[in-house]
Amino acid sequence: MNTADGLGSPWWRRGDRREFLPAGGSLPQRLAAVVENMVFLLRVNLEQLEELRGPARRIVVAGGLSRNAALCQRLADGLQRRIHRLDGGEATIVGMWRRVSGSNAPGPGYLTLEPDPAPALERRYSQWRRQMPPVPPGQ
């Protein structure tokens, strides 16, 4: 667990202190903690959205961090969902084209990442979730 950047959505609060739990760890281990923390926060958000709106039909990732295939695979594994990654395109311009033209943008397609079984990641998510505060009502 990393507390370096506080808690994003749905908690929206700053971290009390910058640390990794358990303390220490190598640089690769700390980097893995940051990546998993992002995946876990996104999972909580997806769970909250699906509680309100039902199952997501499609999960699309785009932008700078989505260019990292390992991160996107970790996201697919952590969510246990298929992830569609925009292939080489910038999401903002693709979205703008769709709004203006009313059709899909020509050009890049999507790369599909299938989730792999990840029991160790699931255990870490369960541990992480038990240490997190309850999600605020209405979030």
Side-chain angles (χ1 to χ4, degrees):
M1 174 180 284
N2 109 74
T3 63
D5 293 323
L7 299 176
S9 174
W11 292 279
W12 298 114
R13 67 181 213 201
R14 294 177 48 107
D16 296 331
R17 56 193 174 280
R18 294 176 183 257
E19 66 180 335
F20 289 86
L21 303 172
S26 66
L27 180 59
Q29 288 171 324
R30 291 192 311 262
L31 180 58
V34 170
V35 168
E36 285 189 0
N37 195 62
M38 289 189 311
V39 169
F40 295 165
L41 286 168
L42 288 168
R43 181 168 169 176
V44 170
N45 277 282
L46 179 62
E47 289 169 351
Q48 293 297 303
L49 287 169
E50 289 186 332
E51 189 175 304
L52 294 171
R53 305 288 288 185
R57 292 184 309 228
R58 188 173 188 193
I59 299 172
V60 177
V61 296
L65 287 175
S66 74
R67 294 177 194 257
N68 184 309
L71 172 62
C72 291
Q73 185 62 56
R74 188 58 124 196
L75 182 60
D77 296 347
L79 298 178
Q80 280 299 292
R81 302 291 183 82
R82 175 180 295 137
I83 301 293
H84 303 279
R85 186 177 88 175
L86 188 62
D87 182 24
E90 173 53 47
T92 303
I93 196 70
V94 170
M96 186 176 72
W97 175 265
R98 290 183 76 175
R99 283 288 201 193
V100 170
S101 71
S103 65
N104 288 332
Y110 294 91
L111 300 173
T112 301
L113 297 161
E114 297 291 340
D116 291 325
L121 183 62
E122 186 64 29
R123 280 191 302 278
R124 287 192 298 276
Y125 175 71
S126 294
Q127 290 171 329
W128 178 87
R129 196 64 187 90
R130 283 191 300 272
Q131 294 180 25
M132 298 300 290
V135 174
Q139 296 292 317

